């Protein structure tokens, strides 16, 4: 896709149906692996192995509106969903002592963009040499209706 820029930047492009995701991975020192936990009462810091920056620009769904500023509900929720899926297979700090940042940009979307981020993130992490414990792929869940025959008895 692109040449290695900083020595630790790796990219992966995923096309899942009409949903396209461009993911890149960078590494930092382990001391950079702190994130504020707003769910805790004291809003303390916790160590995280993986930061996920999920970006869903308006052009991904053919919208024209202002872009930039604070992330919205979609970016926060989908980014956390992808982070939880990928964090489960990340190695421990002892075996891989780096803070890892996954940046995912959705360039086109026809649904299930967070799962495209999971697929692209797995490929980008593997390309960057992260010793993942297992592979992860994202699937979407759709509503299905199954009609069974009614039994009225004897």
């Amino acid at each position: 896709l692109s040449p290695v820029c900083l020595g630790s930047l790796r990219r992966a492009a995923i096309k899942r149906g009409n949903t396209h995701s461009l993911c890149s991975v960078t590494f930092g020192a382990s001391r950079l692996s702190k994130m504020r936990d707003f769910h805790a009462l004291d809003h303390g810091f916790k160590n995280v192995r993986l930061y996920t920056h999920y970006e869903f620009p308006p052009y991904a769904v053919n919208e024209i509106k202002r872009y930039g500023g604070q992330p919205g509900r979609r970016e926060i929720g989908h980014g956390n969903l992808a982070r939880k899926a990928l964090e489960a297979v990340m190695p421990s700090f002892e075996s891989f002592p780096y803070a890892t940042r996954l940046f995912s940009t959705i360039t086109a979307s026809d649904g299930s963009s967070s799962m495209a981020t999971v697929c692209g993130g797995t490929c980008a992490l593997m390309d960057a040499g992260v010793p993942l414990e297992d592979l992860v792929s994202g699937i979407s869940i759709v509503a299905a209706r199954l009609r069974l025959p009614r039994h009225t008895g004897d």
Side-chain angles (χ1 to χ4, degrees):
L1 288 173
S2 66
V4 176
C5 300
L6 301 172
S8 65
L9 177 68
R10 296 292 185 190
R11 296 180 187 246
I14 291 293
K15 180 179 178 189
R16 194 175 176 278
N18 289 329
T19 301
H20 302 197
S21 174
L22 178 64
C23 296
S24 61
V25 172
T26 56
F27 300 115
S30 61
R31 63 182 166 75
L32 300 173
S33 64
K34 294 191 184 303
M35 179 183 279
R36 186 161 301 269
D37 186 7
F38 290 107
H39 297 293
L41 292 176
D42 61 349
H43 298 290
F45 288 93
K46 64 178 182 176
N47 283 338
V48 292
R49 293 179 277 189
L50 177 68
Y51 294 100
T52 305
H53 184 144
Y54 175 88
E55 189 174 70
F56 194 94
Y59 62 78
V61 287
N62 294 326
E63 291 182 356
I64 299 172
K65 63 181 180 181
R66 192 175 79 85
Y67 179 59
Q70 295 295 324
R73 287 184 324 179
R74 176 193 306 245
E75 286 85 2
I76 293 169
H78 286 213
N80 284 336
L81 182 66
R83 181 183 53 82
K84 287 178 185 177
L86 291 169
E87 202 170 46
V89 297
M90 288 291 289
S92 65
F93 272 124
E94 291 79 29
S95 63
F96 192 75
Y98 302 103
T100 308
R101 180 174 180 253
L102 172 67
F103 185 83
S104 172
T105 301
I106 305 301
T107 57
S109 178
D110 194 19
S112 196
S113 56
S114 60
M115 296 300 104
T117 298
V118 171
C119 294
T122 301
C123 291
L125 288 167
M126 288 187 331
D127 185 45
V130 178
L132 298 178
E133 295 175 6
D134 206 353
L135 302 179
V136 182
S137 65
I139 61 168
S140 62
I141 298 176
V142 298
R145 181 182 289 179
L146 179 63
R147 293 192 181 247
L148 298 174
R150 256 195 178 163
H151 295 287
T152 58
D154 292 299

